Amino acid sequence: MQKIIILDFGSQTTQLIGRRVRELDTFCEIMPYNKFPQDDPDVIGVILSGSPYSVHDPEAFKVDLSQFVGKMPVLGICYGAQFISHTLGGKVEKADSREYGRANLEYINKDCRLFKGFEDNSQVWMSHGDTITAIPEGFECVASTKNVKYAAYAATDKPLFAVQFHPEVFHSLQGTQLLRNFVVDICGSKQDWSADSFVETTVKELKQQIGDDKVILGLSGGVDSSVAAVLLNKAIGKNLTCIFVDHGMLRKNEFRDVMHDYECLGLNVIGVDASEKFFADLAGVTDPEQKRKIIGRDFVEVFNAEAKKQTGAKWLAQGTIYPDRIESLNITGKVIKSHHNVGGLPEEMHLSLCEPLKWLFKDEVRRVGRSMGMPEHLITRHPFPGPGLAVRILGDITPEKVRILQDADDIYIRGLREYKVKLSGEEARRVLAAGVPADMQNGEIEVSLYDQIWQAGAILLSTVRSVGVMGDERTYEHPVALRAVTSTDAMTADWAHLPYDFMAHVSNEIINKVRGVNRVCYDISSKPPATIEWE
């Protein structure tokens, strides 16, 4: 299968480059800057990402350009453009002033294939402190802004292009056109990457990989593991056994509801209630990373005990997706946070690992689910952390705290599903592009708040107590924080601007109906710098 390799030099928008390439129906693989795959016949082009470093920094990331320059088309973006110039004999210097924000291309060489179809004065987005003051011999300037002479340059004798702006971001208005020119016209992508083709190819690969072996899959109730289960079920049928572990920190009535959904999908599922073990092992633990590790360890122990009953199993399947693997370990080797389904397997399990979704982003997983005819309520379900409400309760975990948060969260999520909003313009297009089923009438669509946002949940601030008054009595109880974000893949997210009347209603419902809560707050932090989850 054709692929574009994106070499990651640490930019915050590297994942966005990948998304834009995937939106062109072209498979891409994001790899650390120093891990270019040698002798891979499927690679049709290379993109070098931006970076937080200057090319002059001693610790700056460097790559041997001879591995691919002259052998296939190459596009350098921001740091990538500066690194190419610096390495091949050009000059990169500190800019007189840091160049951030909108700019317009006052000069464009429209004979350059990279700028085919560009309009005059096309808006782009700059974000760099250094600038290219001279390009190497054998290159020509192909675009300039008022302040940046070499906004883009290209080799005269090979398919090597570089831009100092970011075509992947929304504010570069023809950025998608530039990436299309590179990926489709210059690299020659056949644009055969789609949900349908992924299902067909992956089912075939799974059959070859697994054969008649038996597979065990740990279900979580979320869209990732559910889609992975249905995909495997299409490939190997009854040779798949799914295990759904209830660690006691699922949402209200979730274990019952999810088991029913899986039965309707025709999956072979075993449900295990292990809540007492998890609560006992988490008693008194307050550190977020420690809580995640305990839950991960206990899950493996419970899962392993059940898996041993499934004699003859040789594979463990997981619903790991691309952002899980990227966020768990960045290119410097530092862990951002532990994911419950990322990492090595216990040796005693003696199982090989199968991760059919490991190259997909969340919205791509949803498209695959729809391609296989899965129910919409499963596909549109918000992401939910593997450790469950344990990472939405600040401090130690007790059954009573979980009960409080389950009740508050249930009111919040039901409210989001029931509240309808009308959208038009760009917002409506964004929601429809995500696959939310809605009919456009007079330029508007009507959807629930739940479908409009990416992820929502309540957080119990159990380490905090606040004073309140209920009736004539003073209370001293816990605050609850509500979180709702908009996103496409969870790599970046912005807080959702929920209607005031909705927030007033939900706050009133939680305070009146959930014993132990006397204050409700709303989290207005974006990612970055804040993560979506609080722990």
Side-chain angles (χ1 to χ4, degrees), residues 76 78 81-82 85 90-93 99 105 107 115 126 128 130-137 139-154 162-165:
C78 198
Q82 294 172 358
S85 176
K91 186 178 290 186
V92 178
E93 298 179 298
E99 296 162 341
L105 298 178
Y107 163 71
F115 288 95
M126 295 285 187
H128 54 92
D130 290 351
T131 193
I132 298 170
T133 56
I135 55 178
E137 185 177 348
F139 289 77
E140 62 178 346
C141 175
V142 293
S144 303
T145 69
K146 180 180 179 180
N147 297 318
V148 182
K149 179 178 180 180
Y150 300 109
Y153 66 94
V163 297
Q164 287 200 87
F165 56 88

Side-chain angles (χ1 to χ4, degrees), residues 483-535:
R483 180 79 155 134
V485 298
T486 57
S487 182
T488 54
D489 52 32
M491 300 310 301
T492 60
D494 196 10
W495 61 278
H497 294 229
L498 300 180
Y500 286 167
D501 61 330
F502 167 78
M503 289 196 288
H505 172 73
V506 166
S507 174
N508 190 58
E509 286 282 290
I510 291 173
I511 291 171
N512 286 340
K513 294 183 177 179
V514 181
R515 188 172 298 278
V517 175
N518 67 353
R519 191 178 298 267
V520 174
C521 311
Y522 187 59
D523 182 347
I524 59 169
S525 310
S526 63
K527 176 187 179 182
T531 55
I532 294 176
E533 299 296 340
W534 277 43
E535 293 194 340

Side-chain angles (χ1 to χ4, degrees), residues 19 195 362-372 379 433:
R19 289 202 44 72
K362 180 74 74 173
D363 60 319
E364 293 171 326
V365 174
R366 290 192 168 111
R367 287 200 289 271
V368 168
R370 289 190 179 96
S371 176
M372 296 188 295
I379 295 169

